[in-house]
């Protein structure tokens, strides 16, 4: 059976009156298939900001990146 509905927050409001067609008892689990082209993935900014923010007040970060930069360019020094 195919039934249409509208998503409102965490609730799916059914557009069809299924009670006229079939009686489903409370607590019955159903599966819903959502086409991939309708899925909007949330950016993972909170996780990224947490990682970026770890070094915000680190006074040694400039020194660490200077060492990394020197090591990256070591083969260019003659």
């Amino acid at each position: 059976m195919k039934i249409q509905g509208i998503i409102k927050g965490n609730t799916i409001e059914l557009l069809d009156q299924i009670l006229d067609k079939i009686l489903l008892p409370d607590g019955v689990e159903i599966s819903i298939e959502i086409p991939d082209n309708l899925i909007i993935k949330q950016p993972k900014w909170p996780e990224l900001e947490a990682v970026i923010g770890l070094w915000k007040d680190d006074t040694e970060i400039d020194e660490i990146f200077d060492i990394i930069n020197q090591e990256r360019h070591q083969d260019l020094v003659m």
Side-chain angles (χ1 to χ4, degrees), residues 4-6 10-11 13 15 26 29-30 33-34 36-37 39 43 46 48 50 55 57 59-60 62-64 78:
Q4 292 184 326
I6 296 176
N10 281 339
T11 303
E13 183 179 307
L15 297 176
D26 285 343
E29 290 188 21
I30 61 168
E33 185 174 334
I34 301 171
D36 289 340
N37 64 334
I39 296 174
L48 184 58
W55 290 332
D57 297 322
T59 57
E60 297 177 359
D62 288 333
E63 181 181 334
I64 292 168
M78 295 190 178

Side-chain angles (χ1 to χ4, degrees), residues 1 7 11 23 29 34 44 51 55 57 61 65 71:
M1 171 180 274
I7 295 176
T11 303
L23 179 61
E29 290 188 21
I34 301 171
K44 297 197 174 201
V51 171
W55 290 332
D57 297 322
I61 195 67
F65 279 109
E71 290 175 357

Side-chain angles (χ1 to χ4, degrees), residues 1-38:
M1 171 180 274
K2 186 175 184 179
I3 300 171
Q4 292 184 326
I6 296 176
I7 295 176
K8 294 184 178 182
N10 281 339
T11 303
I12 299 173
E13 183 179 307
L14 301 179
L15 297 176
D16 296 333
Q17 294 293 328
I18 64 167
L19 294 179
D20 296 340
K21 302 173 187 174
I22 188 171
L23 179 61
L24 295 174
D26 285 343
V28 169
E29 290 188 21
I30 61 168
S31 296
I32 298 171
E33 185 174 334
I34 301 171
D36 289 340
N37 64 334
L38 295 179

